[in-house]
Amino acid sequence: MHPFLPTSFFVMKTSLLAVSTGLAIANAYHWPSPLIDQVEGLLYEGRGEGNPDNSLLDFVGKLAQCQSGSLGESGAAEWIRFAYHDAATHNADDGTGGLDNSLLLELDRDENVGVGMKHAKADFSHFPNKYLSFSDVTAVGLALASAQCQGPIVPIRAGRLDASVPGPFGVPRPEQTLEEHTESFRLQGFNPLDMISLTACGHSVGGVRSNDFPAMVPAIPGVSADNFILFDTTTALDNTVVLQYLNGTTKNALVVDKNATLISDFRIFNSDGNVTMNQLADPETFDQTCSRLFAQMIDTVPSTVTLTDVIDPIPNKVDGVQLSIGFDTLLLRASLRFINENDRRVVTILWADKNGGCTSGACSATPVSIRDVTTTLSSRLGLSVNKYDFAAPVNATTSISKFWFQIDEGDGSAPTTLDNDGTGYEIPQDRVLYVPNSSTMLTTIVAVRNDIPPSRVYMDVYARGPNLTTTVDFARATDIASRLGYDFYTYDYTGVDFTFDLHSVVNGTTYTEDIRDTYFATNTPDF
Ligand code: HEM
Ligand SMILES: *[C@@H]1O[C@H](CO)[C@@H](O)[C@H](O)[C@H]1NC(C)=O
Ligand SMILES: *[C@@H]1O[C@H](CO)[C@@H](O)[C@H](O)[C@H]1NC(C)=O
Ligand SMILES: *[C@@H]1O[C@H](CO)[C@@H](O)[C@H](O)[C@H]1NC(C)=O
Ligand SMILES: *[C@@H]1O[C@H](CO)[C@@H](O)[C@H](O)[C@H]1NC(C)=O
Ligand SMILES: *[C@@H]1O[C@H](CO)[C@@H](O)[C@H](O)[C@H]1NC(C)=O
Ligand SMILES: *[C@@H]1O[C@H](CO)[C@@H](O)[C@H](O)[C@H]1NC(C)=O
Ligand SMILES: *[C@@H]1O[C@H](CO)[C@@H](O)[C@H](O)[C@H]1NC(C)=O
């Protein structure tokens, strides 16, 4: 059964893509580019049905709907507030602070009060690794939250670095004066009119909780210890908050609270005589303004940080590459992803053995599955994202040096070769291989070639951050019989959520398998 509807022609909605400068990335792109690959994947690619856990966007789907809780709490709102509070302690005068993850070290401060902060932290925390910072995940989270809530498309750059020490205080608080807020936004890099717009954009989702601001939102005695007053009556990231402010129906606590000290949204919205709010009453103006200001907000980083170009969808992307071991052969897993759908398309993977040729029979295979992995964001860009998954048997004696693809679109045009701009997709070594099929989150199993016995087999463990946590040596897994010239090694690590690099030292040379991930190990399909 074919998973796709009949072929539809691929139409890119240029008006939406126009927000980004993408071609720069698309032209410079060469696989592998770990940071770009990961961010692009989190933005534009889900895992598809049956694999719900390996994408931040699927987290939005499960946990962070625009309205996910009985009181109207919104995971998407929590993510957006989290991003703002991290960025808000930038200092434009000396170039310090910004979206740098210092917020994680500042969550006990009054200015960062709220269970929503802890939710966002938990949602994001599975995704950072040695290539991808927590602050890049936060930026991606904002873009996904906006897309999920029918808000603007927010262009995403990557390359933020995480701080290891807390930054200064300075997130705006309701009881501050308009002058204090204006100065605070100036330090964040926003002028007084941007302050009005960005606050309206942020306060278009979510609301104020009694647990966090009991003076503004009293609990409902006997009904709920927590209570929640939404900024407006829609869950969408749209301009309803503006319209309801302008026509006097708003329930936004930061506009109508009876304690005039606390109505900071009123002071801000009213600060230019409502000129900006009247402009934002036009939905397209609201969308464009919020896109621009959200992007500026998440691109507010310390002056020492250089961000990449905007990361647009990569048309043909290779990922999930894993050479592993089966019973009679090695197994090459890899996926090729397209951003347009074509049910007549035929894709073949081809590979070369260690000597560069094919001396062992067939060196090609067809997909084992084709999956639709379109996300809300990619769908809103007019893309239909689908993955061709391969699990190809590779002769263990002759092994593999590189692979590439042949693509026949089935439309009468000549088949094309996709070979990473001529180099092929290289498999740098087969001496140490992760065996996801036998590993769990707790136990890591690796296969190591035994023709030259290794002097050491070990793993570098990275917690969910940039820096090495620990290095551990593997022991022989005596319960797994050697096969195909490989011995098996094992290690039980107490942390269940980490990434790691595998190493085998052979005759003075260290062979490495870069960045594998435990958290999703149990979701790895069987061969
Ligand atoms: C003077 C400026 C601001 C003040 C005083 C302020 C204050 C507040 C307060 C008191 C809450 C309620 C939080 C809770 O009950 O847990 C809130 C929620 C929120 N704020 Fe702001 N805010 C400001 C600007 C912004 C900006 C610029 C953004 C984003 C661009 C933003 C995004 C949000 C979001 C999304 C929520 C809802 C959170 C949720 O529902 O969990 N805020 N804000
Ligand atoms: C990682 O290590 C480097 C070098 O020691 C250090 O400067 C940096 O702050 C660390 N990063 C984090 C997030 O701990
Ligand atoms: C105020 O604006 C909201 C949002 O557009 C609308 O639903 C509501 O009917 C308006 N109310 C009045 C009294 O104009
Ligand atoms: C209004 O809020 C301010 C700031 O939290 C507080 O100091 C003041 O006592 C409040 N006023 C009233 C009448 O509750
Ligand atoms: C701005 O609009 C609000 C809400 O309608 C209103 O209360 C306020 O008086 C207006 N400000 C000015 C300067 O007209
Ligand atoms: C993978 O694991 C499944 C069960 O978990 C097992 O049936 C299968 O034989 C394993 N395949 C390989 C190649 O180890
Ligand atoms: C693998 O290749 C070797 C060397 O060409 C050959 O002798 C062997 O039969 C092949 N094994 C399989 C399973 O095809
Ligand atoms: C080990 O390395 C040495 C020096 O590079 C080389 O002479 C020798 O042949 C190697 N041994 C094997 C088994 O590859």
Side-chain angles (χ1 to χ4, degrees), residues 24-25 41 65 68 156 208 245 258 281 334 351 368 375 379 415 436 507 523:
I25 283 284
Q65 302 285 358
S68 55
I156 293 295
V208 186
Y245 163 79
K258 56 189 181 310
W351 64 94
V368 290
T375 63
S379 150
N507 199 16
N523 292 324

Side-chain angles (χ1 to χ4, degrees), residues 244-248 255 266 269-270 272-274 277-278:
Q244 294 181 340
Y245 163 79
L246 288 173
N247 76 10
V255 173
F266 176 79
F269 294 167
N270 188 51
D272 69 346
N274 293 329
M277 290 300 270
N278 276 301

Side-chain angles (χ1 to χ4, degrees), residues 175 259 261-262:
E175 67 273 17
N259 184 340
T261 306
L262 300 176

